Amino acid sequence: DIQLTQSPSSMSASLGDRVSLTCQSSQGIGNYLSWYQHKPGKPPKPMIYYATNLADGVPSRFSGSRSGSDYSLTISSLESEDTAIYYCLQYDEYPPTFGAGTKLELK
Amino acid sequence: QVQLKESGPGLVQPSQTLSLTCTVSGFSLTSYNVHWVRQPPGKGLEWMGRMRYNGDTSYNSALKSRLSISRDTSKNQVFLKMNSLQTDDTGTYYCTRETIAAHFDYWGQGVMVTVSS
């Protein structure tokens, strides 16, 4: 199975900070990488799909990028509502696999 | 609009079978794939399996011997059955729709399942 390694596992940042989360794939997955925001008591919310595409209704401060097998989710200016756990998912090859998540908190 | 909703028992005894239903609206099961994903308390997301638009199924190899996914297109429902439940099967179970862009665009609210005697 393809392994996705997310880093850091947790982090804290201040309001207005630029934040970048990383997901590294153990094998080539092309652009079949998506990001999900997960808050307690709610279902995961799609944020980025196909590595760089913003999902419907997601604020423009979120963006996705790719460099080889490294994928990033960037928040240009952190807001309080962005605190959550963020998961990446690869769906290039079966089975789909999730990263372990990055917990993002406010400093 | 597109909706998915999981239903099922909140409590299951160890060694028993879990039966969950995902009822969808706003789209056709013959046009979209539906997946099951779960999350144990305090842990990450785990993909369980998929019902394809054409009725084919795929399963997580770690669960394959215990898991079965089926559907009733006339009722817009996808079913999950997993036998021989243990305490580490406790968690929140979600159904989710797959899009053409190979991601999960709509999710149910999830159903919490506790395995305990």
Side-chain angles (χ1 to χ4, degrees), chain B residues 64-78:
Chain B
K64 191 172 184 177
S65 63
R66 301 194 290 138
L67 183 61
S68 174
I69 297 174
S70 60
R71 70 179 183 178
D72 183 335
T73 56
S74 68
K75 295 183 178 179
N76 297 318
Q77 293 179 325
V78 178

Side-chain angles (χ1 to χ4, degrees), chain B residues 3-42:
Chain B
Q3 290 187 325
L4 301 93
K5 185 174 183 179
E6 307 88 350
S7 58
L11 180 65
V12 180
Q13 293 197 336
S15 79
Q16 297 302 301
T17 296
L18 171 66
S19 295
L20 298 177
T21 299
C22 174
T23 303
V24 310
S25 59
F27 69 98
S28 172
L29 292 177
T30 60
S31 297
Y32 287 86
N33 302 339
V34 171
H35 298 246
W36 288 93
V37 172
R38 70 177 180 176
Q39 183 179 38

Side-chain angles (χ1 to χ4, degrees), chain A residues 1 32-34 36 38 41-46 48-50 55-56 85 87 89 91 94-100, chain B residues 33 35 37 39 43-47 50 58-61 94 98-110:
Chain A
D1 297 358
Y32 289 104
L33 190 287
S34 51
Y36 300 83
H38 199 191
K42 295 197 171 182
K45 175 185 177 182
I48 299 289
Y49 66 94
Y50 207 58
D56 288 346
I85 298 177
Y87 294 95
L89 165 75
Y91 196 175
Y94 259 82
T97 47
F98 289 94
Chain B
N33 302 339
H35 298 246
V37 172
Q39 183 179 38
K43 296 189 177 181
L45 300 170
E46 178 184 31
W47 179 79
R50 173 203 68 178
S58 298
Y59 301 107
N60 184 322
S61 59
Y94 299 98
E98 174 194 336
T99 73
I100 295 174
H103 79 284
F104 301 147
D105 62 345
Y106 286 92
W107 295 67
Q109 283 299 308

